Amino acid sequence: MNNFNFFSPTFFVFGKGRENEAGKYVKRFGGTKVLIHFGSGSVIKSGLLARVKASLKAENIYFTELGGVQPNPRSGLVYKGIEICKKENIDFVLAVGGGSAIDSAKAIALGALYEGDFWDFYEGKQIEKALPVATILTISAAGSEGSMGTVITHENGMLKRAANGEPLRPVFSILNPELTCTLPNYQTACGATDMMAHVMERYFTNTKNVEITDRLCEGILLTIINETPKALSKPNDYEARANLMWAGMVAHNDTCGVGREDDWSSHNMEHELSGLYDVTHGAGLAVMFPAWMKYVMHQNVMLFAQFAVRVWGCEMDFENPENTARQGIECYEKFMNSIGMPIRFSELGAKSEDIPTLVKTMGLGKNTLGSFVKLTEEDVAKIYELAV
Ligand code: NZQ
Ligand code: ZN
């Protein structure tokens, strides 16, 4: 196991009706002038936004609001949010919604305390401070409620890029699984796929002897595989929703990634797809992950066989472990199909003739992508080809 630091100070408030305590927690974490940030309308329709505002009013906390975050959140609204924060001396950003609203809130929190262009942080500038961010989550997926990441698409060039830094971990996150019952099945499935991908980006590693995190990863994957079909067939299944919601958090706050090298190639290749075609992140991952697995499997066939046996219940072929490894990838693809996810480029509307553009926009140049296998631009192009 590698040396590591792990500091994940988010305070979690989990369970039915807990969004009504938002005001109490904003106060506890020092918010006095709040920007409430949300998406394209689901939180208005469900009545959640009204409940959150009532909870802030009950604590006499001043707030202003900015809605309209779209999936694959854009830079334009971030600039608007930063302007509001600076003009009104906002000291706390409260995101109500999914990963997109949360990531946009984190970007605003960064820019509010910075004189330059917030995009600098998405081009690699180190993050030192941000306004405190809190979340009220409505979809189990991105894990942004516990992560130190934010992903934004710049409208100039439609570049989708991530920024990471400890000050971006939410100070508190309210997780009420009931709020996720209104999700369309497609979003539930995309969310489950993203959660699985967060685990798998960490699971396929060159670090040896990481039994604890291997087992944590496998447990989270098994949970998602068991609970997702329940939530899809019965959207109001509270227990399935609750298990998925916590799985999404532990999949990405790094509990299962510490002490081991992680990869993130599939995520980076997916971000180019989301940037170019505006596809839903989870759906893009369902297509990119199996292509990546097929390409890099020979780096450690036994690890892929372990994945097949422990996660998918495949029988170990001791004579030919590669058979078992391949079966695991097939099981993953079958599961994706069973929950309504695409596994091919064409199902996303992506085109093979755009592969050179996808590779070029990624801008690797002479650098490499990922760590399990260090991929060159040529490798990346081949993986996109495998997904066609
Ligand atoms: O915008 P509204 O009207 O709220 O509708 C949303 C949106 O259309 C809807 N929705 C959310 N909760 C709902 C609901 N509809 C009905 N009932 C509810 N309870 O679902 C749609 C998707 O929402 P979005 O926030 O985009 O989903 P998600 O949480 O999957 O976030 C995706 C974004 O997160 C980024 C992705 O790249 C993508 O941009 N990621 C962020 C990460 C991070 N910050 O750590 C890591 C991830 O790997 C990921 O890259
Ligand atoms: Zn993701």
Side-chain angles (χ1 to χ4, degrees):
M1 197 185 293
N2 299 336
N3 290 357
F4 65 86
N5 295 336
F6 183 54
F7 181 63
S8 186
T10 306
F11 187 97
F12 290 99
V13 180
F14 191 100
K16 295 179 184 175
R18 305 298 304 269
E19 65 275 15
N20 297 315
E21 299 171 52
K24 181 175 94 185
Y25 286 103
V26 169
K27 199 171 224 175
R28 187 196 283 195
F29 286 93
T32 62
K33 291 188 94 182
V34 178
L35 174 69
I36 305 177
H37 196 43
F38 54 95
S40 309
S42 75
V43 301
I44 298 173
K45 206 165 137 202
S46 67
L48 171 63
L49 187 65
R51 294 203 293 286
V52 171
K53 288 198 223 169
S55 167
L56 294 184
K57 273 186 196 148
E59 298 287 343
N60 291 318
I61 297 167
Y62 170 87
F63 61 83
T64 183
E65 58 189 89
L66 177 64
V69 182
Q70 60 191 101
N72 297 324
R74 307 295 153 86
S75 50
L77 201 66
V78 173
Y79 288 116
K80 202 165 165 188
I82 293 169
E83 201 186 309
I84 295 173
C85 286
K86 287 185 173 170
K87 206 160 119 200
E88 298 205 29
N89 289 322
I90 295 294
D91 61 15
F92 199 98
V93 188
L94 177 61
V96 186
S100 295
I102 300 172
D103 284 2
S104 185
K106 287 178 176 177
I108 292 170
L110 268 174
L113 297 186
Y114 182 58
E115 286 311 315
D117 184 344
F118 90 94
W119 191 251
D120 293 347
F121 298 105
Y122 295 75
E123 287 182 334
K125 188 178 170 61
Q126 192 166 345
I127 295 172
E128 268 151 25
K129 56 183 178 176
L131 287 178
V133 175
T135 86
I136 299 172
L137 185 66
T138 62
I139 171 172
S140 312
S144 195
E145 68 276 14
S147 84
M148 57 172 175
T150 155
V151 189
I152 301 290
T153 301
H154 206 293
E155 276 136 327
N156 181 6
M158 295 311 276
L159 294 176
K160 188 173 183 183
R161 295 289 177 264
N164 290 285
E166 288 295 348
L168 296 183
R169 297 234 195 225
V171 291
F172 74 81
S173 281
I174 296 181
L175 274 54
N176 173 1
E178 291 174 313
L179 300 176
T180 66
C181 293
T182 51
L183 279 168
N185 272 1
Y186 182 72
Q187 289 297 343
T188 298
C190 284
T193 307
D194 191 20
M195 282 146 54
M196 289 179 74
H198 294 159
V199 175
M200 287 153 60
E201 296 278 16
R202 296 173 163 103
Y203 189 77
F204 296 108
T205 182
N206 293 316
T207 314
K208 304 283 179 231
N209 301 315
V210 279
E211 184 71 2
I212 170 69
T213 39
D214 272 2
R215 296 288 185 178
L216 284 171
C217 287
E218 290 154 5
I220 298 166
L221 290 172
L222 283 164
T223 303
I224 300 166
I225 293 163
N226 281 323
E227 301 302 307
T228 304
K230 293 185 199 167
L232 292 176
S233 63
K234 274 170 73 186
N236 289 325
D237 183 337
Y238 178 82
E239 299 302 336
R241 295 290 189 184
N243 280 289
L244 286 172
M245 202 161 206
W246 195 242
M249 202 299 290
V250 290
H252 199 41
N253 85 329
D254 225 18
T255 305
C256 62
V258 290
R260 53 199 292 149
E261 216 175 66
D262 46 11
D263 190 78
W264 302 101
S265 315
S266 302
H267 261 73
N268 279 294
M269 289 185 284
E270 192 296 311
H271 285 168
E272 299 310 327
L273 289 176
S274 284
L276 189 63
Y277 304 108
D278 202 18
V279 300
T280 305
H281 176 58
L285 286 167
V287 172
M288 289 321 302
F289 232 107
W292 176 82
M293 290 195 274
K294 288 171 198 165
Y295 194 77
V296 302
M297 188 183 76
H298 290 104
Q299 172 72 6
N300 188 346
V301 168
M302 290 311 283
L303 181 57
F304 276 89
Q306 173 181 300
F307 171 70
V309 172
R310 292 191 190 168
V311 177
W312 300 104
C314 299
E315 211 170 303
M316 182 67 193
D317 183 342
F318 289 99
E319 302 280 301
N320 190 351
E322 191 176 323
N323 274 345
T324 315
R326 285 196 189 282
Q327 269 175 35
I329 301 172
E330 267 169 41
C331 287
Y332 171 85
E333 288 189 319
K334 275 191 194 140
F335 179 73
M336 285 300 133
N337 266 159
S338 75
I339 62 170
M341 284 292 95
I343 52 168
R344 304 249 64 96
F345 243 48
S346 58
E347 296 171 86
L348 286 178
K351 301 183 200 83
S352 58
E353 57 264 35
D354 290 340
I355 290 175
T357 309
L358 291 164
V359 175
K360 191 162 167 252
T361 320
M362 189 181 280
L364 265 188
K366 298 271 172 254
N367 295 327
T368 57
L369 179 67
S371 68
F372 185 62
V373 172
K374 293 190 181 349
L375 305 169
T376 62
E377 282 197 332
E378 201 184 322
D379 294 317
V380 171
K382 284 182 185 158
I383 296 173
Y384 279 128
E385 288 293 348
L386 277 177
V388 171

